[in-house]
Amino acid sequence: MDHHDEDDAHLSSQIVEEEDLLFDDGPSEQPSLDETTGNADIDKITAQHSDIDETLRVRLAGPSTSKVNYHALQRLFTFIEFLINYYFPIQAGMDSVDKAKVNEIIYEVSKGSSFFENERKKDNAVTGRINALLSKYERIKNDVLSEEFIIVDNMIEELEDERDLNQCIVHIDMDAFYASVEELDQPHLKTVPMVSFAFQAVGGIGMLCTSNYEARKFGVRSAMPGYIALKLCPQLKIVPLNFSKYREASAKVRSVFEQYDPHYCPMSLDEAYLNITEHLKTTNKSPPEVVVEIRDKIFKETLLTASAGIAANKMLAKMCTDVNKPNGQFYLKSELADIQEFINPLSIRKIPGVGRVTERVLNALNVNTCKDIYPQRAMLYKLLSDISFKFLLRAHLGIGSTSVDSEYVRKSISVERTFRSLSSRTDLYFKLKDIAQKLAKDLESKNLCGKTLGLKIKLTSFEVRTRAKTLPGNIYKQEDLEKYASQLLEKELPVSLRLMGIRLSSLCSRDEIDQKGVKRVGICTIF
Amino acid sequence: MDHHDEDDAHLSSQIVEEEDLLFDDGPSEQPSLDETTGNADIDKITAQHSDIDETLRVRLAGPSTSKVNYHALQRLFTFIEFLINYYFPIQAGMDSVDKAKVNEIIYEVSKGSSFFENERKKDNAVTGRINALLSKYERIKNDVLSEEFIIVDNMIEELEDERDLNQCIVHIDMDAFYASVEELDQPHLKTVPMVSFAFQAVGGIGMLCTSNYEARKFGVRSAMPGYIALKLCPQLKIVPLNFSKYREASAKVRSVFEQYDPHYCPMSLDEAYLNITEHLKTTNKSPPEVVVEIRDKIFKETLLTASAGIAANKMLAKMCTDVNKPNGQFYLKSELADIQEFINPLSIRKIPGVGRVTERVLNALNVNTCKDIYPQRAMLYKLLSDISFKFLLRAHLGIGSTSVDSEYVRKSISVERTFRSLSSRTDLYFKLKDIAQKLAKDLESKNLCGKTLGLKIKLTSFEVRTRAKTLPGNIYKQEDLEKYASQLLEKELPVSLRLMGIRLSSLCSRDEIDQKGVKRVGICTIF
DNA sequence: GGTGCGCTC
DNA sequence: CCAAGAGCGCACC
DNA sequence: ATTCAATTC
DNA sequence: AGATGAATTGAAT
Ligand SMILES: Nc1ncnc2c1ncn2[C@H]1C[C@H](O)[C@@H](COP(=O)(O)OP(=O)(O)OP(=O)(O)O)O1
Ligand SMILES: Nc1ncnc2c1ncn2[C@H]1C[C@H](O)[C@@H](COP(=O)(O)OP(=O)(O)OP(=O)(O)O)O1
Ligand SMILES: [Mg+2]
Ligand SMILES: [Mg+2]
Ligand SMILES: [Mg+2]
Ligand SMILES: [Mg+2]
C-alpha cells in the first residue's frame, strides 16, 4: 500500500516542479505528427472479446480512475428521471460501448511486447499476493473475531479524537492543465480536433502527459503511450510540452491562492490545498461562494478553468474536487451525517492513495465501496498492516489531516532517462555520466548535497532494480555521483538496459557541511 | 396557420438583414445594468402553484420551442441506462424543477399588466377557435370517413411525386449567435456570469434578442423582456446590441458557405441552407464529413460554433439542426425508412411553421407527435384548410422543398416604433413623420417604391390594428408616405397608442416607373 | 384589396 | 412599472 | 540501510 | 516497433 498522502507527516511529492524536462540528449527531431499510419482495424479487434486476462486488461488500461462518478451521476439520474416521468415514459435497451472497447483495443495492441510481458508478470505477482491473502481469509472468515471487533472499535474511538470539523479546507485542481494552457495559444485545439500532449520522443511519439476532455472521450489519458492513443483516436493532435508556459500559468494561479491563504500548499503545478478558515472570518460569504470567487479570479487571471472541493480535511476536499470535475466544485458540509453519506457509496478507488493494485486486493476481500470497510473491519484488521488498516479506517470515517502549510523539505532528488536499449559497458558509463552531470546541475541550483546515492536501472524486459549506498559523508559533485553510481552499476553487469537513473537522498543544505562533506552539528541540537 | 417556409414559392423572410436598428429617437441613455433591484421572492411565488390558466402560462413562456429534444434525449437515455445497468441498479425519485417553475414565475410577474390582459384575450380567442373545431370534430369523430380516406390517400400519392431524395441539403445555424459574437470580445462572459442581449431601451431594459446557453439554463430566452429575465436570473449580464459586429461575423461565415454552394440561401444573419449535391461530386468525403469541414472552417474563421442538419430537403435539414444543437450536427440518411423513423416521434411543434397556437390546436385534436397525423388524416382533412392539411401531410411524410437559391425578391418594407403611450394628434403625427422619414431613407438605399401603403398601430392595450390603401401609382418620398399614412391614422383617432408603423408593399424598382409613379410595361411581357 | 393572425429570426 | 422589429403567408371578408 | 512495489501528478 | 520522469511512502528484509 501507499498512503503517502494524508498523514501528519507532510504530503508526499508536494512540489515536483518538473523543471527543465526538456531533454538535451536523444534525437530531438519533432515527431512527425502527420504520421497517421497504421489506422488500426479497431472493429475487427473489438469483435473478438474474451474474458481471459480480464485483470490484465484492466491493468493495461492505465492508472486513471474513470469508472463512474457516483455523485455526479446521482444528480444526472434524478434530473433525467424527472424528464422521463414528466415528458414520456420511455423504455430503451443497449449494450456496452466505451470502457470495455477501449480496454480491449489497448490489450490487443499491446499484446506480445516486452512491456506487456512485464505487466503480465506484475499482474501475476499481485494475483499471488491476493491468493496468499485469500487463503488467510479463508481460514478466518468463519471466526467470530469478537476480540478483533473490540480492538478495532477502540481504535476507531481513538481515531475519532483526531477528527477536526472546524477547519474549512479547499482543494483546487486545474482542468486538463497542460492541455488547457496549450489551448490558450491555439484555440482551434479546443473543439473538433482533439488534442493531447507528448512527453518525450525516443523512437516514436513517447508518452502523453495529459489529454483534453475531447480526447478523453476516446479513452486517451495521462500516461498513455502516444501510439496507443493514436489507435484509439487517429485524428488526435499531439503537441509537445512547454513547461515554461505551464509554470507561468501556475504562478498566476498561485497568486490567487496567496490572497486566500498565505500558507496554501501546492501539490503540483496545477493543484493546491488552501485552508480558508481564517479568510472566512473576513467576509460573510459562504465557503462555496468564496470558492466560486477564487475560481472566478483564476479564470479572469488565466482564462483557465479549475475544479474544487470544499470539506473538513484534505482527503475529503480532494475527493470532492472529483465530483464535479471539469469546471465545477462540490461542497461537503462538515457534518458527520453528510460526510458518511458522501463517502459510503464511493468506490474505494476514489480514496487518494488507493490505486489499481490496492483496489484489486480489496475487491478480492469483498470491499468494493467505502461502506464495505466497516462490516469487514475485523477481517481487514487481521489481514492488513497496522498502517494500511488505519489508513482505510480513516478513509471510511472521513478523517484526514487538516494541516495546510507551504513549508516543504525535499527528501530526495533524482534524474533518470530512458534510451534505446544499451548493453556495452562503455555506452552505459557514457550515459551515466550525462545523468550524473544533470543531477549535479540540479544539486547546484538547489544548493543541496546528500549522503545516500542510489542507482536505478530498468532492463529491456522492463524489470526495475535499484541499488543504493550510504556514504560516510555528503556528496554533490558530478564526479562523485558518477563514481559511486558506476561502482553500483559495475556489480550488475552484464545487462541490457532501457533506463538508468541516479538518486541522492539523506539530503542536507550545502551550507551545513564542512569540507569533508560531514554534516555540521545543528545549532539547535539537544546537548 | 403559416407555412411561409417550405413551398415552391421562395422561403419567406429570407433575408431580414436587420439593418441599422440602432435608434435615433427616444432617450438613448444606456440602461443602468447594475439595476439589480427587485430581486424577486421567487420561492414564494413558486410555492403557490395552481392549475388554472395553464394554457396562458404556456403562452406567456414565449415562443421558443424548448420542451424536449427527443433524439438527443434518446441518445442520452440509452447511454445513461447502460451506465445504470452496468455499474449499479439504482432507484431515485424527485419532483419538478425547471420548466414549470419558470413558467410560473413569468406568469406571476406578468399578472395584471396590459400586456397580460391582451395575451389573455388572444388566448381566449384561440380557445374559442379550438372549441369551434372540437364541436365539428365531435360531429364527425365517429363517422367512418371512408371517402375522405380515399381522397387523402390519393393526395398522398400525389405528394409522393414531389419527393426528391437525390439532393443533399444542409441547414446551418450559428449557436446563440449574437451572444457568441459578444463573447469573442469579452471572454469572461462565456462562463460563470451568464449573459444575454438587450434589444432596445424605452423605459426599462427592453427585449432580449438572444441569450447564451448559460442563461438558457435559467429559462432566459429570445424575445423575453429584460425585467422578467432578471427575475429568473438576477446575475444576468445584459449587453447592448452591436449589429455591425454580427454582420461582420455573418459575412465571414457566408464566405465559407460560398465555397460549398455558390447559390447558398441565407435565411438570416446566422442561418442558411446549402445544396452540397454538386460539391459532393468533387470529393470522396461523405456528407457529414463535408459538413464537419464546413463547421470547422467557420470555427477557424470566426471562433464561433455552428450546428447543422443534413437531409434530403430543407424542412428535414432544419429539423436535423435542432437535434444536436449547440455545436453539433445530425445526418439523416435519404432513405424512406430513416426519414419516417426520424419524423414520427417528434412533437409536431418541431415542424418549422407549427408554433404555439397551431400546437395547441393540433393537440386538442389528439395530434401530439408527427406519427399521429397519419391515423387522423381523414379527420384533419375535413377540419383544416387544404393548404394547412397538405402542409401537415408533407411534414409527416418528410417531403419538402429542395430548391436552394440565393435570389430573393422583397415583397414589403416597413418601419415601426414603440414609444411611451401617446394620444395627442400632434404628438402622433410628429412620430409618424419620423417613421416616414426612416422608411423613405430605406426605400432610397434600396432604390424601391411601392403602390400599397399600410399603417400599423398598437393601442396601449396591445391591440394591434392595420389599415392599408392601394394607390393609383408608386410612391417613395417621405412626404407621400407621411401624407397617406396620416390619412389612414386620421380615421382611427382618437386613440392612445404605444406603437406606430408604416409599411409599403406591391413593390417595384424605381427604375421601372415613369414620372407619375406608374409602373412601366415590362419588356418581356407577352404581347 | 384589406384586415387580422400566426410564424420565423 | 416594465413585452421589439422586420418580413412573409394564410384565412376570411 | 537496502530493495521493491504502489501511488500521485 | 513504440510504454515518462520526479517524488513519496510502506513493507519486507
Ligand atoms: N502520469 C503523468 N506523467 C507526467 N505528467 C503527468 C502525469 N499525470 C499528470 N501529469 C501532469 C499533466 C497534467 O496536466 C498535470 C495535472 O494532472 P491532473 O490534475 O491529474 O490532470 P489534468 O489537470 O490534466 O486533468 P484533470 O485535473 O482535469 O483530470 O500533471
Ligand atoms: N424574436 C427572436 N427570436 C429569435 N431570434 C431573434 C429574435 N429576435 C432577434 N433574433 C436574433 C438573435 C439571434 O442570435 C439570431 C439567431 O436566432 P436563432 O438562430 O434562433 O438563435 P441563436 O442563434 O441565438 O441560438 P441557437 O441557434 O443556438 O438556438 O436572431
Ligand atoms: Mg488537474
Ligand atoms: Mg492535479
Ligand atoms: Mg442560431
Ligand atoms: Mg438562426
Side-chain angles (χ1 to χ4, degrees), chain A residues 242-514:
Chain A
N242 291 293
F243 268 103
S244 45
K245 288 202 287 187
Y246 316 147
R247 246 182 274 114
E248 262 177 56
S250 184
K252 288 189 197 164
V253 174
R254 289 180 184 181
S255 73
V256 176
F257 295 157
E258 182 82 32
Q259 299 165 38
Y260 291 84
D261 176 8
H263 306 107
Y264 77 93
C265 169
M267 299 301 297
S268 72
L269 283 181
D270 91 319
E271 198 175 333
Y273 291 100
L274 280 70
N275 184 336
I276 61 166
T277 317
E278 286 307 312
H279 177 86
L280 286 171
K281 293 176 189 162
T282 69
T283 170
N284 48 23
K285 291 198 176 172
S286 67
E289 284 168 347
V290 169
V291 173
V292 162
E293 193 182 286
I294 294 175
R295 291 173 47 235
D296 206 50
K297 282 196 189 178
I298 292 176
F299 184 78
K300 293 219 167 75
E301 202 65 47
T302 62
L303 290 180
L304 298 172
T305 63
S307 300
I310 309 156
N313 60 55
K314 288 190 286 191
M315 180 194 67
L316 291 173
K318 190 176 177 62
M319 292 169 87
C320 287
T321 301
D322 189 51
V323 173
N324 286 317
K325 189 51 170 139
N327 195 20
Q329 61 182 59
F330 184 81
Y331 174 43
L332 175 57
K333 285 210 288 285
S334 292
E335 303 276 343
L336 278 182
D338 295 278
I339 293 172
Q340 278 311 311
E341 201 187 330
F342 175 78
I343 284 267
N344 277 332
L346 291 178
S347 159
I348 45 146
R349 180 62 187 276
K350 294 286 186 183
I351 301 169
V354 174
R356 44 184 178 185
V357 173
T358 310
E359 182 186 31
R360 260 194 75 194
V361 172
L362 290 176
N363 285 347
L365 298 173
N366 290 319
V367 176
N368 299 297
T369 61
C370 293
K371 69 171 158 311
D372 299 335
I373 294 172
Y374 189 71
Q376 304 278 47
R377 64 195 183 284
M379 177 272 291
L380 292 170
Y381 169 73
K382 280 190 79 75
L383 293 181
L384 303 180
S385 74
D386 186 60
I387 289 181
S388 296
F389 177 65
K390 284 224 179 83
F391 169 82
L392 280 186
L393 267 193
R394 285 200 186 85
H396 167 254
L397 297 169
I399 293 173
S401 160
T402 60
S403 96
V404 173
D405 195 337
S406 51
E407 280 157 42
Y408 163 69
V409 277
R410 177 187 288 272
K411 299 192 181 61
S412 74
I413 182 168
S414 67
V415 171
E416 70 188 51
R417 288 292 177 270
T418 294
F419 38 78
R420 253 185 299 282
S421 66
L422 296 176
S423 324
S424 96
R425 96 192 289 111
T426 52
D427 286 348
L428 290 174
Y429 284 121
F430 191 77
K431 277 269 182 253
L432 198 58
K433 185 200 192 72
D434 284 355
I435 292 168
Q437 184 182 323
K438 174 65 163 57
L439 183 54
K441 212 181 86 190
D442 293 354
L443 287 167
E444 175 69 30
S445 75
K446 295 187 172 54
N447 195 37
L448 283 173
C449 59
K451 242 159 54 90
T452 303
L453 183 134
L455 174 76
K456 172 176 177 178
I457 59 179
K458 193 189 281 177
L459 311 197
T460 49
S461 64
F462 285 89
E463 182 191 328
V464 174
R465 294 182 192 155
T466 62
R467 300 290 177 257
K469 178 104 188 102
T470 300
L471 308 167
N474 288 288
I475 62 168
Y476 58 85
K477 287 206 277 281
Q478 184 195 328
E479 304 86 57
D480 288 335
L481 298 169
E482 198 181 338
K483 184 173 77 185
Y484 296 112
S486 298
Q487 287 175 9
L488 294 174
L489 177 58
E490 186 63 31
K491 297 184 207 151
E492 303 302 316
L493 299 179
V495 273
S496 172
L497 302 183
R498 69 181 338 269
L499 170 145
M500 283 191 300
I502 306 180
R503 166 177 309 270
L504 202 59
S505 46
S506 317
L507 302 178
C508 72
S509 163
R510 288 200 202 168
D511 304 332
E512 302 174 53
I513 61 166
D514 64 23

Side-chain angles (χ1 to χ4, degrees), chain B residues 140 155 163 173 300 386 476 499 511:
Chain B
I140 63 166
M155 215 181 263
R163 195 194 288 277
D173 187 297
K300 293 218 167 74
D386 185 61
Y476 58 86
L499 171 146
D511 304 332

